[in-house]
Structures are given as C-alpha cells and as structure tokens.
Amino acid sequence: MVYKDCDIGSAKPSKNILKKYPHKMVDIKNLNEIFTAAEFCNISHEIIENSHLNNKLPLFVGGSMMYFKSFLNGMHDLPDRDNDYRSELEKLNLENGPNYLYHILKSIDPVYAEGLNKNDNIRIIRALEVFKITGKTLSQILTKPSKNLLSKKYSISQFGILPDREVLHKRIERRLKIMIEEGLEEEVSSLLDNYNIAQNHPIRKSVNYKQMFSYLNNEFDSNTFFKKSLYASRQLAKRQMTWLRSWDKFKDIEINELKLIDDDFKKMISLL
C-alpha cells in the first residue's frame, strides 16, 4: 500500500476509510522508487515515538512478514541495493534456467541457502548481492546481534488471524473477483502507461500485479490469469500462516474474536 496508484491490486482501503481512519505509510512512494525493509523500520520507529508523545497506541497491520520480522528483531547492517548487479543476476537466471542462482548461492553460503525455497529469487539475489558488496555471507552477518531490538524498548502484543483453510480460500477468491470487478486490469494498464517500471521492481513480483502484467503482455488468457492469481494468493497466505505460527509470543485469534484484543489493548494503554 506504500505505492501510489496501486490501489485495487493491493486491496488498499478506500479513500473514505482512509479519511475517516487515518493510516500511515500509504501512498508514500512512486513506482520509480523502491520501498525497503530498512525504510519501513525507520518510519515505524518514528511512528511509535510520535504516537507515544501524543498518548496514543500504535497498531501495525498487514501481511508483509519479512518487514514485520525485521522490525521486531532489528535490522542488521546490510548494504543498499546494487541494481546493475541485480540485473546481471536476473539475466543469468533467464539464460541458465530455474534454480541456477540458488546453486550459486549454495556454493557460497550453504547455511543460508538451506533455509530458502529454491525458487525464492528475491532472497537469493539479495544474498548474492550482499556477498558481492561486503565479501561476507548472509549467514555470517545474521549470526551477529541485530540493531534496535524492539522488545528491549517496548511492550509488544502480536495477534494473527489463522482461519480455517476452506474459509480462507473462499475469502481469497471473493476478494480476487471484487478486484477484477473494480478494475484491476484498467489499473495495471494505467500503471504501464504512466510509469517506466523497472523489471526488478517489487511490484512486478507482487501477487495479482505479477499475473496481470503477464496477462496484459498476452502471455495467457483471462481464465488462466484468474487461476494463476488465485493460486499465488493462496500460496502467499499459506506461507504467511506458517511464518506466524513460528513466532514467539504470537496469539492466534478467531476472525470475530475481539475480547482478546480489547483486553490486551487496555493493558497496554494503561502503561502509556
């Protein structure tokens, strides 16, 4: 939701909702920019500090598990992106087929590679990029204590809704149909007309946008688009749920269970 004009495909709240309930980190980037986990962490710390100064309780909501994990556990000192090198790696990947970059990473950093999906090119490329710039493997860097561990400064409650699989799949399918009805195709077509979106931009790999970009490029028909987007959304939800269950001090709540959240909020507010 940080990117301007990416409204429907990201299920961004409507303008009326955003006006009634102001959100942070919405529409703060253009598509010629890339929003990083480091930026998310820096802005989040500012939000917490300003909220506390105004005697308010900050609430972080969303589905970007990697960003939330970085925020909770603190960021390591990692280099900025090297877009030229990333382009080289993506070209190598296209020329040499699936899992080529994974095998390169495995030869350099088998410990980190072991914990990755062989198709997770985002993290594979980042690991290779870090090694090229620093000469150190990610597994070496990540074993050192991270900076700004959130739990050392604040009292934190973590909630997650892990619904029944059948209920979840029905909701995902219904949401995708709503996106299509609201004009997902027109939105993505407009993005292509108005922006020169780099091939390695995260939006091109985002669920719903990735599939729509391919559809508009005549790589498959509308029925295949729907199936691919639906499958990708379900897989993303599955990964998110698996990740959440692995977190310490995580509280699983039912979809309509509000009392647990209310009780925790009251305790936290009393500490302000």
Side-chain angles (χ1 to χ4, degrees), residues 156-171:
I156 304 166
S157 285
Q158 301 174 59
F159 303 98
I161 300 173
L162 303 179
D164 174 79
R165 183 172 178 270
E166 184 178 350
V167 172
L168 176 63
H169 283 193
K170 286 181 179 178
R171 287 186 170 221

Side-chain angles (χ1 to χ4, degrees), residues 52-118:
H52 288 173
L53 286 174
N54 290 293
N55 204 35
K56 292 183 178 180
L57 184 68
L59 179 63
F60 291 84
V61 182
S64 185
M65 299 295 101
M66 183 187 73
Y67 281 27
F68 280 173
K69 196 72 171 177
S70 298
F71 185 39
L72 281 169
N73 295 344
M75 292 289 293
H76 288 82
D77 189 16
L78 297 176
D80 293 335
R81 293 164 61 102
D82 183 335
N83 288 324
D84 290 339
Y85 183 59
R86 282 172 171 259
S87 296
E88 288 179 27
L89 292 176
E90 288 170 352
K91 184 179 179 181
L92 283 172
N93 193 51
L94 288 173
E95 292 174 347
N96 292 279
N99 307 140
Y100 178 74
L101 296 182
Y102 175 80
H103 291 299
I104 293 178
L105 177 62
K106 193 171 182 179
S107 67
I108 295 170
D109 188 0
V111 175
Y112 186 72
E114 186 65 27
L116 294 180
N117 184 305
K118 292 181 180 180

Side-chain angles (χ1 to χ4, degrees), residues 19-20 24 33 48 51 73 121 149 214 247-248 252:
K19 184 177 181 180
K20 187 175 182 179
K24 301 293 185 181
E33 304 172 290
I48 291 177
S51 296
N73 295 344
N121 282 335
L149 187 64
S214 295
W247 284 15
D248 295 331
D252 179 10

Side-chain angles (χ1 to χ4, degrees), residues 153-198:
K153 295 182 66 177
Y154 305 109
S155 175
I156 304 166
S157 285
Q158 301 174 59
F159 303 98
I161 300 173
L162 303 179
D164 174 79
R165 183 172 178 270
E166 184 178 350
V167 172
L168 176 63
H169 283 193
K170 286 181 179 178
R171 287 186 170 221
I172 289 173
E173 184 170 355
R174 184 167 67 247
R175 189 181 74 162
L176 178 56
K177 289 178 179 178
I178 291 172
M179 287 180 179
I180 293 170
E181 291 170 1
E182 290 183 345
L184 177 61
E185 180 178 346
E186 291 77 9
E187 175 177 279
V188 178
S189 180
S190 177
L191 295 178
L192 291 171
D193 289 340
N194 295 314
Y195 294 95
N196 182 20
I197 307 172

Side-chain angles (χ1 to χ4, degrees), residues 118-136:
K118 292 181 180 180
N119 298 312
D120 191 351
N121 282 335
I122 293 176
R123 290 180 178 82
I124 291 169
I125 287 175
R126 180 55 172 160
L128 292 171
E129 175 184 56
V130 168
F131 179 73
K132 176 181 180 290
I133 297 171
T134 67
K136 298 178 181 179

Side-chain angles (χ1 to χ4, degrees), residues 23 34 71-72 77 82-83 87 99 111-112 115 122 124 140 147 151 162 210 213 219 228 237 239 241 244 247 266 270:
H23 291 50
I34 291 178
F71 185 39
L72 281 169
D77 189 16
D82 183 335
N83 288 324
S87 296
N99 307 140
V111 175
Y112 186 72
I122 293 176
I124 291 169
Q140 290 174 320
K147 300 185 296 182
S151 59
L162 303 179
K210 176 182 178 180
F213 282 129
E219 295 176 28
K228 284 180 174 291
R239 290 195 299 272
M241 291 169 70
L244 280 172
W247 284 15
K266 287 173 183 176
S270 68

